[in-house]
Amino acid sequence: MRRLSRVIKVGNVSIGGNNPIIVQSMTNTDTRDVAATVRQILALEAAGCEIIRVAVIDTEAAAAIADIKSQINIPLIADIHFDHRLALRSIESGADGLRINPGNMKAERVKEVVTACQERKLPIRIGVNAGSLDHRLLEKYGHLCAEAMVESAMDNIKLLEDMGFNDIKISLKASSVLLTIAAYRLLASKVDYPLHVGITEAGTKDRALIKSAMGIGILLYEGIGDTIRVSLTADPVDEVWAGYEILRSLDLRNRGVELISCPSCGRCQFDLINTAEEVDRRTRHIEQPIKIAVMGCVVNGPGEAREADIGIAGGSGAGLLFKQGQVVRKIPEQDLIDELLKEIYQEVEKGGTGS
Amino acid sequence: MRRLSRVIKVGNVSIGGNNPIIVQSMTNTDTRDVAATVRQILALEAAGCEIIRVAVIDTEAAAAIADIKSQINIPLIADIHFDHRLALRSIESGADGLRINPGNMKAERVKEVVTACQERKLPIRIGVNAGSLDHRLLEKYGHLCAEAMVESAMDNIKLLEDMGFNDIKISLKASSVLLTIAAYRLLASKVDYPLHVGITEAGTKDRALIKSAMGIGILLYEGIGDTIRVSLTADPVDEVWAGYEILRSLDLRNRGVELISCPSCGRCQFDLINTAEEVDRRTRHIEQPIKIAVMGCVVNGPGEAREADIGIAGGSGAGLLFKQGQVVRKIPEQDLIDELLKEIYQEVEKGGTGS
């Protein structure tokens, strides 16, 4: 049962309530390099990214937002640390929202930023991060814990609420999966603002996929979370792809290819791993939901993968193409991948593009 | 709170009760190729694999088990489909346990296998697989569902219990994360046998890491699961590594390197992604628990990663080496990785090897 949160809008994207869980990412280009940043955002859009965040480290970066915005199609959030002037400048440049840690700014500076957001109806994400928690709170609780993170969030929420501002979403990220889960659960019991969920500093791709899938997955399974970012030390396009994989696994969104493939075992008589990897690589751009199977044996493969829309089962010298568990035809091993892809592209064309 | 299961033994490894969650894998070599199979099992042992399973497709494979067993150090489970004679032959060869789907064999054949297991005190895993569920059950329930999978497991359990056999563990795998979770939760409420948890046919590495982390992670977070296998269409050594990553994220086991690294962002002035990947690659063999950080900026890096035992924060031209959040020294960019690794190896040597 999903936690019922209030709805906020980032540009034309609604977050919270019964809206779909929104997938977002952050550029890793130099924001001042408009061409590189736009190129990356367009690639992210193609992967399904629905909101993009950029780091604003100086006034030049804040100014670049106007140029970037004119060439992209999704809402843009300016990520600001400490300097309220960068927040104001980003708003002028047309940012659709801010991510700040209000505790890092003096109250009168925050007031200026909040007033500017109120005038343009821009939301603010309060981004609490375990690694940069106020020393006062660490001392109060004796160590980093969920209660300290939530107190930091509540202080920041109160600061904005006291200024009459409620266009808020909140994140409480840590690199620890258990700490992150505990913090979000506690906050979810206290406020009804939409929550931006993720694990931060989760590591290199393999590591971060595991931690993010666990942290985001466990929270979403409990109904907590309105928008997600998978943080990877890797190409941000992979973050968006992984976000949809997590959401599909919980039946919350359905975009692109689901690929089923058995672990290669001693029964397998063809190069299953490389075949599956190639099919994966050559179908990642597909937006329409489709379930593809790459199975290791012709005896059990078609039956075991009968839930797949289409698939192949490899064997020694030749394999089988099947649809919904029914064998369509036998194909020589060397043509197996190309024939499968031809059939997949045909299916996708028939179905139009969905998401 | 962990579900309290009864304890069984596979060779010298105890599964269930308050024993650690055991990490296992399956070879993808031809079991008849003893040299290749032994080589893979030794690599898996080095990665921390605690139980290994091999596919037994014919009598030659069953006979090879004796040879394989004499060259490895962890318990070996024979994976048998349909043919009870292969089960009997594997037991003679010294297998430490069987994985069968008793429903696939005639009752009198199962009786022979169970008697042989009783004589040698060998456990049996009942391996129910969504893809090969009895058609009778699919028809009864109208579609593939948790109830059908659990009924199949309960039928098989009863078959063995009626023969006075209780050395049982059970798996209920599907490629769907939600179906898998629902099936295990239902079964966990009905029996106290230890459970072998995993997502099957989870796909290529990235995909399977996500699905496995979610499925296994959500179940373990609820206290369900006594041994795990991460199924990847990839090198099984990665399965073992991923298993420990999942367990560490839930504070259930602690083996090897935890690597913290920020997602590269517009603030980052060095090649964070490749640096983190290289540090990851060159530290994966370490067994001792150690927390390493690779951070993108010298201003926030050391503080944000103060929970790490050791780390670097990169900058333009030079970076910082830090321990427990305290900067130790400045290092030229080109020496950053080597200096970090030297310090890590020294730390590991000081600490001895743990797990």
Side-chain angles (χ1 to χ4, degrees), chain A residues 23-27 44 49-54 228-230 236-237 239-240:
Chain A
V23 176
Q24 52 176 292
S25 185
M26 185 172 186
T27 52
L44 288 162
C49 185
E50 297 169 306
I51 295 177
I52 188 65
R53 179 160 51 113
V54 302
I228 64 172
R229 180 199 174 191
V230 177
V237 168
E239 298 186 345
V240 173

Side-chain angles (χ1 to χ4, degrees), chain A residues 14-304:
Chain A
S14 296
I15 298 176
N18 287 313
N19 291 293
I21 313 288
I22 298 300
V23 176
Q24 52 176 292
S25 185
M26 185 172 186
T27 52
N28 63 6
T29 53
D30 184 332
T31 307
R32 297 165 298 192
D33 183 344
V34 172
T37 303
V38 166
R39 202 179 315 122
Q40 189 170 67
I41 295 173
L42 294 178
L44 288 162
E45 287 181 5
C49 185
E50 297 169 306
I51 295 177
I52 188 65
R53 179 160 51 113
V54 302
V56 178
I57 55 167
D58 60 16
T59 44
E60 200 189 328
I65 288 174
D67 248 14
I68 294 167
K69 279 276 299 174
S70 72
Q71 299 174 63
I72 65 170
N73 311 289
I74 54 176
L76 179 148
I77 292 182
D79 190 90
I80 317 278
H81 286 194
F82 307 108
D83 190 342
H84 79 293
R85 289 164 305 184
L86 296 179
L88 297 173
R89 188 72 188 81
S90 297
I91 292 170
E92 275 172 42
S93 284
D96 299 290
L98 300 180
R99 181 260 168 156
I100 58 174
N101 199 334
N104 285 340
M105 293 177 194
K106 288 202 178 127
E108 63 267 29
R109 312 294 203 200
V110 175
K111 179 75 190 157
E112 279 184 67
V113 174
V114 165
T115 303
C117 284
Q118 277 166 328
E119 279 167 9
R120 308 206 186 198
K121 295 195 189 310
L122 302 183
I124 293 176
R125 164 152 72 98
I126 295 172
V128 174
N129 196 312
S132 55
L133 210 60
D134 194 336
H135 279 277
R136 185 184 59 77
L137 287 168
L138 290 178
E139 275 159 33
K140 176 175 171 185
Y141 288 95
H143 65 290
L144 180 58
C145 59
E147 290 73 17
M149 292 175 68
V150 170
E151 183 168 331
S152 170
M154 294 302 289
D155 287 349
N156 283 317
I157 291 168
K158 187 166 184 319
L159 189 68
L160 298 193
E161 283 179 344
D162 286 349
M163 297 173 184
F165 191 82
N166 296 96
D167 252 358
I168 300 170
K169 63 176 170 158
I170 304 146
S171 64
L172 293 167
K173 299 187 188 177
S175 69
S176 155
V177 170
L178 285 176
L179 176 58
T180 303
I181 293 170
Y184 277 102
R185 290 177 87 173
L186 182 59
L187 184 68
S189 71
K190 291 179 184 284
V191 298
D192 70 349
Y193 293 111
L195 300 178
H196 166 119
V197 172
I199 303 289
T200 192
E201 289 147 19
T204 47
K205 191 173 168 190
D206 290 357
R207 294 175 180 275
L209 289 177
I210 292 173
K211 277 185 157 185
S212 299
M214 291 178 73
I216 297 172
I218 289 171
L219 285 166
L220 288 175
Y221 186 73
E222 293 188 358
I224 296 173
D226 301 287
T227 175
I228 64 172
R229 180 199 174 191
V230 177
S231 295
L232 307 177
T233 306
D235 185 339
V237 168
D238 292 328
E239 298 186 345
V240 173
W241 172 83
Y244 283 101
E245 288 302 302
I246 291 171
L247 292 173
R248 183 177 44 231
S249 294
L250 296 175
D251 221 4
L252 293 169
R253 302 283 298 265
N254 194 4
R255 184 188 204 278
V257 168
E258 176 169 7
L259 193 141
I260 293 168
S261 59
C262 38
S264 174
C265 84
R267 292 184 183 87
C268 181
Q269 299 187 294
F270 80 117
D271 185 358
L272 176 68
I273 295 177
N274 285 312
T275 302
E277 284 289 349
E278 184 173 344
V279 171
D280 189 354
R281 213 164 38 240
R282 291 170 68 181
T283 57
R284 282 233 181 159
H285 63 285
I286 295 173
E287 294 175 30
Q288 183 181 324
I290 182 168
K291 197 180 267 198
I292 302 171
V294 178
M295 304 298 285
C297 81
V298 290
V299 181
N300 299 321
E304 288 202 1

